[in-house]
Amino acid sequence: ILLNCLGNDRKEYLEETFHVNNPNLDGMEEDILYHFSLGTKTHNLPEMFGDIKFVCVGGSAKRMKAFAQFIHTELNLPGSNDEPKDICEATDRYCMYKVGPVLSMSHGMGVPSISIMLHELIKLLHHAHCRDVVLFRLGTSGGVGLAPGTVVVSEKALDYNFLPQFEQVVLGKVIMRSTELDAGVSRELLQCSKELPNLPAVIGNTMCTNDFYEGQGRLDGALCSFSHAEKLEYLQRAYEAGVRNIEMESTVFAAMCRVCGLKAAVVCVTLLNRFDGDQITSPEDVLVEYQQRPQVLVAHYIKKRLALI
Ligand code: R2B
Ligand code: URA
């Protein structure tokens, strides 16, 4: 399949197999993954990471450590999961835990943060000669017309105009990349949700923004340049475009995985219904349980794929 790069005369090709999309990498004697504190000369990446099949990423370092501990128990792996080792402990930009065939990593908040992390993660998978890897973003989001606590498995990641594209500025020009996600993985995840108690889930579009406040139509930021009625009108248009939740990383995640031929899914729980308000008012214990839902769902998927259930 040919993916058109608007505004750029180079073309990117999607193939079935995973590949980095940069011929310059072949000519490099060493590749330093600066934000991970890893490198091709200092670390044996194939030995450290060659068996990875599932990569789970999420914004918060604490949550991705908890996921590493959870998946260790779920996969019945030997050894203790009390203090998993942070492979990126030499830097505090991101955290990284490896649990059998699963990599659990944090990506911080917003497109620039996850984008840096994805460049280095995809190169890591390439240098480690990984094959048949599926990536998941496990996140939080604001719901659009859904009860809080609903998990949204993204069909497409949409931009602020409800279009399935990611704009990247390269050498001063805008390049558009498609943000479609793997339909097969999404369908399987929805099926998994039906096999689990207390896991309300839907497939819907996810809108990605560059800001939590004005960028998501919130009235409660330090700045607000629109009325309550204008906010509701925007959310209504989003709903009509199939948007069921709003977060801040899905478009670049979908686009970069797609260009590199990596299967990817976005699984985010909604913390509130944005038609009802802007502030996140649920008690801490409720929010913690909500945030476990994407983890429980993806762990179930991984166990099924590994034929453990
Ligand atoms: C969801 O939650 C964060 C903002 O609170 C952001 O990283 C996102 O996508
Ligand atoms: N994360 C977001 O980006 N928006 C929300 O409303 C909640 C979590």
Side-chain angles (χ1 to χ4, degrees):
I1 317 158
L2 183 68
L3 179 71
N4 215 357
C5 272
L6 305 176
N8 185 0
D9 45 21
R10 272 182 68 178
K11 304 284 180 204
E12 289 162 332
Y13 292 88
L14 289 176
E15 293 163 14
E16 280 305 303
T17 54
F18 149 60
H19 52 277
V20 288
N21 220 284
N22 179 5
N24 301 318
L25 288 180
D26 294 340
M28 282 166 59
E29 214 184 296
E30 179 178 17
D31 189 8
I32 296 169
L33 307 177
Y34 166 64
H35 302 88
F36 295 178
S37 262
L38 295 173
T40 50
K41 277 205 168 157
T42 45
H43 298 81
N44 184 340
L45 300 178
E47 191 179 290
M48 289 173 76
F49 299 105
D51 61 342
I52 285 171
K53 297 292 176 206
F54 308 96
V55 177
C56 300
V57 303
S60 133
K62 210 165 122 187
R63 186 154 33 83
M64 296 324 286
K65 180 179 179 182
F67 180 69
Q69 292 169 312
F70 175 63
I71 197 76
H72 188 281
T73 309
E74 288 292 296
L75 299 185
N76 248 323
L77 293 174
S80 152
N81 64 3
D82 289 351
E83 257 323 303
K85 185 180 160 43
D86 179 0
I87 300 168
C88 295
E89 67 188 350
T91 157
D92 57 5
R93 299 295 187 186
Y94 306 107
C95 72
M96 179 194 279
Y97 303 94
K98 184 174 179 301
V99 185
V102 180
L103 195 73
S104 178
M105 277 206 78
S106 68
H107 57 60
M109 283 194 285
V111 163
S113 182
I114 194 176
S115 155
I116 296 166
M117 182 271 203
L118 286 172
H119 276 284
E120 294 182 16
L121 172 64
I122 294 170
K123 291 198 294 172
L124 173 82
L125 298 174
H126 166 74
H127 293 311
H129 312 304
C130 294
R131 298 186 66 86
D132 304 320
V133 183
V134 190
L135 277 80
F136 302 87
R137 166 166 144 69
L138 315 182
T140 57
S141 60
V144 182
L146 295 175
T150 309
V151 171
V152 179
V153 179
S154 308
E155 180 166 352
K156 286 179 195 154
L158 306 184
D159 70 6
Y160 56 89
N161 270 325
F162 321 129
L163 295 173
Q165 61 187 27
F166 172 64
E167 282 182 7
Q168 176 73 288
V169 179
V170 178
L171 306 181
K173 290 189 193 139
V174 175
I175 288 185
M176 295 291 194
R177 292 189 168 125
S178 164
T179 54
E180 264 162 62
L181 290 153
D182 192 275
V185 177
S186 298
R187 261 197 312 273
E188 284 176 61
L189 284 164
L190 190 73
Q191 177 54 36
C192 286
S193 75
K194 295 181 181 150
E195 297 163 10
L196 291 163
N198 203 23
L199 228 145
V202 296
I203 290 190
N205 290 335
T206 296
M207 179 164 72
C208 179
T209 68
N210 282 334
D211 174 44
F212 182 84
Y213 288 98
E214 280 190 299
Q216 295 188 5
R218 277 189 158 78
L219 300 161
D220 62 341
L223 315 175
C224 184
S225 50
F226 48 86
S227 68
H228 190 200
E230 284 169 324
K231 164 197 159 174
L232 292 180
E233 189 266 332
Y234 184 61
L235 289 182
Q236 188 57 39
R237 281 202 289 127
Y239 188 87
E240 281 158 19
V243 171
R244 292 296 174 269
N245 66 340
I246 309 175
E247 48 76 91
M248 299 180 60
E249 295 86 12
S250 58
T251 48
V252 71
F253 175 77
M256 287 183 71
C257 290
R258 195 178 146 88
V259 170
C260 296
L262 284 161
K263 282 191 177 182
V266 177
V267 185
C268 293
V269 71
T270 62
L271 302 181
L272 75 169
N273 179 0
R274 289 297 316 289
F275 281 116
D276 295 340
D278 296 332
Q279 298 250 308
I280 297 167
T281 52
S282 297
E284 184 62 22
D285 58 330
V286 172
L287 293 176
V288 167
E289 193 273 317
Y290 285 173
Q291 289 176 51
Q292 283 163 354
R293 293 181 181 184
Q295 303 193 2
V296 170
L297 181 56
V298 170
H300 189 78
Y301 174 95
I302 291 174
K303 285 196 288 180
K304 274 179 95 170
R305 285 285 295 268
L306 294 173
L308 293 177
I309 41 177

